Amino acid sequence: ALRREPSELIFPPSFTETQIRAALRPDQLALVTFATAGGYHFFIVDQSSVQYTGFSKTRDLQRTVAKWLKQLGATEVTVDRKQVSDSEWKTTSKEIFDFLFAKIVAEQWDVTKELVVVPDGALWYLPFEALLMGEGDQQNLLSEMVNIRYSPTVSLAFGGQRPITPADNLVAIASRLSPKTEIELTNSQYDQWIDPLPESIKFETFRHSSNLLGNQIDQLLDWSYIKATRGKALATVPISIEKSNADNGSINAWMTLPWGAPQHLILPGYQSPGITLKGRPPGIDMFLTTTSLMAAGSRSILISRWNTAGKTAFQLTGNYASSHQTDGISKAIADSRKLVRETDLDSANEPRYRSKGDEPPIKTEHPFFWASHMLLAVPDATEPKIRPYKKQSNGPTRLAPGAGLPKVP
């Protein structure tokens, strides 16, 4: 006779509030959002408490998010010089920040090094990196003041996870980020960022079943256009140039083997089908895609909300891929965004930028070019190092020993 046996692993893991708070460092904050039929609820979690910070009606919040995404150019087919030179996005950015973080005092930001965002609904498409904090001349991008990491659930964001293993190889899919991206651009960016790295492997076509080969790849950088289908996130094929049976390359197939996905995934060619907020429910494509990839074994995922498809996307992800193993993911993504913001616009190699003849040079400092990519990761052994941490004189208050999270295999 057969008997029921308890599973040794639950994914996502299930932890109590006490266990989650015990796993937070004193320099971490979490913004946890919860979307219901009536509206959005917001919670701030730190080591000492869980604070309910506000509510927004669904219609109001989604209208504001949609307006900001339009100002950023995320939902436009193309952008032009007028749009990327306009500062209108800054007003909306500050309004959103003030609403979401109204109850966080300046002193708390002073000791915070990392903000972990657990988004829900339309907030999956909101680039927190481009929010503005401060007043007047003292305004700064939130991502310049704290590191920002995302997590599909709060239980995946903190505490012990399966051990980190060395990432010995990096596989780069050198294709096109969009049908309009020139393959010569891909090759030149590969030569600049990836080819000098030890154990880097280049594929221009992929004739293998990625669900079988995925667990042999430590890091995957996919410079190809990923065709995501609304409502069918598990059918998405991360290696979209795969020539074998497409079913073998889907996220669903990756989950058939334990930890069958690469540890680190970089997917700048993903274009979220729900970013226009016209489908219901919003955010489900991003939630299912990222949660499933983590369930398949990925420790970190750098994925785009909207696909800029040009040179800035290659620069940001190429710099990140070449540095995150040595510098840590938090510093690597912060440095990569800064690199793009300080780069001169190469209009000929930005397919979504509509140039109007000879134009004076400008920097690609508008968020359209650098704020698309969101970093999701389970806890990393490398602590963020954006700025010195102001230690508390009496030390942090800690919960009783043993109250922390158990290890997840």
Side-chain angles (χ1 to χ4, degrees):
L2 299 177
R3 66 180 183 185
R4 294 184 178 183
E5 292 288 345
S7 172
E8 296 181 0
L9 174 65
I10 299 175
F11 189 93
S14 177
F15 300 128
T16 65
E17 175 198 322
T18 301
Q19 289 176 314
I20 290 170
R21 287 193 291 106
L24 270 74
R25 301 193 310 263
D27 61 356
Q28 287 178 315
L29 282 180
L31 172 67
V32 182
T33 63
F34 183 57
T36 67
Y40 286 74
H41 301 265
F42 303 94
F43 304 83
I44 292 290
V45 183
D46 61 20
Q47 198 179 57
S48 62
S49 65
V50 177
Q51 183 181 13
Y52 181 74
T53 59
F55 170 83
S56 175
K57 292 182 179 179
T58 298
R59 187 175 183 181
D60 294 341
L61 184 135
Q62 292 188 184
R63 277 183 172 178
T64 300
V65 172
K67 179 178 76 170
W68 196 40
L69 290 173
K70 184 176 178 64
Q71 291 171 350
L72 297 181
T75 55
E76 302 293 311
V77 176
T78 60
V79 296
D80 57 19
R81 186 183 183 88
K82 179 181 178 182
Q83 182 159 9
V84 300
S85 301
D86 195 352
S87 60
E88 185 182 18
W89 67 271
K90 295 182 179 180
T91 302
T92 309
S93 171
K94 185 63 168 60
E95 291 172 354
I96 295 173
F97 176 86
D98 288 344
F99 171 74
L100 292 176
F101 300 105
K103 296 187 178 181
I104 304 298
V105 297
E107 291 75 17
Q108 193 165 7
W109 285 118
D110 287 342
V111 296
T112 298
K113 288 201 298 183
E114 183 180 55
L115 172 68
V116 178
V117 179
V118 183
D120 200 6
L123 294 176
W124 273 100
Y125 311 119
L126 187 124
F128 283 77
E129 297 80 3
L131 292 179
L132 287 169
M133 62 187 301
E135 302 294 337
D137 296 337
Q138 301 300 314
Q139 277 193 349
N140 292 286
L141 290 167
L142 179 60
S143 54
E144 289 184 320
M145 304 306 294
V146 298
N147 295 312
I148 299 175
R149 174 166 59 94
Y150 297 84
S151 179
T153 71
V154 70
S155 60
L156 282 172
F158 303 103
Q161 305 289 340
R162 62 192 178 93
I164 299 174
T165 57
D168 295 326
N169 61 55
L170 189 156
V171 170
I173 307 300
S175 184
R176 303 173 190 267
L177 285 178
S178 81
K180 294 183 178 180
T181 304
E182 298 292 341
I183 195 65
E184 290 79 12
L185 175 62
T186 306
N187 291 332
S188 68
Q189 294 297 301
Y190 177 87
D191 292 342
Q192 177 179 351
W193 297 108
I194 309 303
D195 189 54
L197 300 176
E199 303 299 327
S200 60
I201 304 168
K202 179 182 181 181
F203 283 102
E204 295 179 357
T205 59
F206 200 80
R207 301 185 180 279
H208 312 279
S209 295
S210 60
N211 65 321
L212 298 178
L213 193 60
N215 61 2
Q216 302 299 313
I217 301 173
D218 297 322
Q219 306 169 75
L220 174 65
L221 169 59
D222 189 356
W223 277 341
S224 66
Y225 175 61
I226 299 175
K227 302 177 180 64
T229 305
R230 186 187 298 274
K232 297 182 180 179
L234 300 188
T236 298
V237 180
I239 302 179
S240 59
I241 62 170
E242 183 174 337
K243 301 301 181 183
S244 63
N245 187 328
D247 291 340
N248 292 335
S250 68
I251 294 175
N252 192 46
W254 280 21
M255 291 192 294
T256 60
L257 293 176
W259 314 129
Q263 283 195 80
H264 306 286
L265 280 173
I266 307 171
L267 306 173
Y270 185 84
Q271 174 74 32
S272 172
I275 197 169
T276 59
L277 301 184
K278 293 181 180 179
R280 291 186 180 182
I284 192 66
D285 59 307
M286 296 295 293
F287 172 78
L288 288 177
T289 297
T290 56
T291 306
S292 301
L293 288 171
M294 285 186 162
S298 293
R299 294 187 59 87
S300 71
I301 306 167
L302 185 65
I303 186 171
S304 57
R305 303 171 180 91
W306 65 90
N307 178 11
T308 59
K311 188 175 181 179
T312 49
F314 285 107
Q315 289 177 315
L316 191 149
T317 54
N319 186 76
Y320 174 83
S322 65
S323 62
H324 77 90
Q325 283 292 303
T326 54
D327 295 345
I329 57 175
S330 297
K331 185 177 187 304
I333 189 59
D335 289 348
S336 299
R337 293 192 187 107
K338 182 179 179 182
L339 171 70
V340 171
R341 289 197 298 270
E342 296 175 350
T343 297
D344 291 329
L345 173 63
D346 182 358
S347 59
N349 285 310
E350 293 293 342
R352 289 184 63 180
Y353 179 80
R354 186 171 67 255
S355 178
K356 297 180 180 179
D358 293 334
E359 297 176 336
I362 58 171
K363 302 290 185 183
T364 51
E365 58 186 354
H366 189 274
F368 169 79
F369 297 105
W370 57 265
S372 165
H373 302 84
M374 63 188 309
L375 177 64
L376 300 98
V378 297
D380 195 344
T382 304
E383 291 192 359
K385 299 176 183 178
I386 279 188
R387 58 188 179 154
Y389 168 46
K390 185 190 298 182
K391 293 185 179 293
Q392 299 176 1
S393 57
N394 297 325
T397 302
R398 296 191 180 277
L399 298 177
L405 304 187
K407 295 289 184 180
V408 177

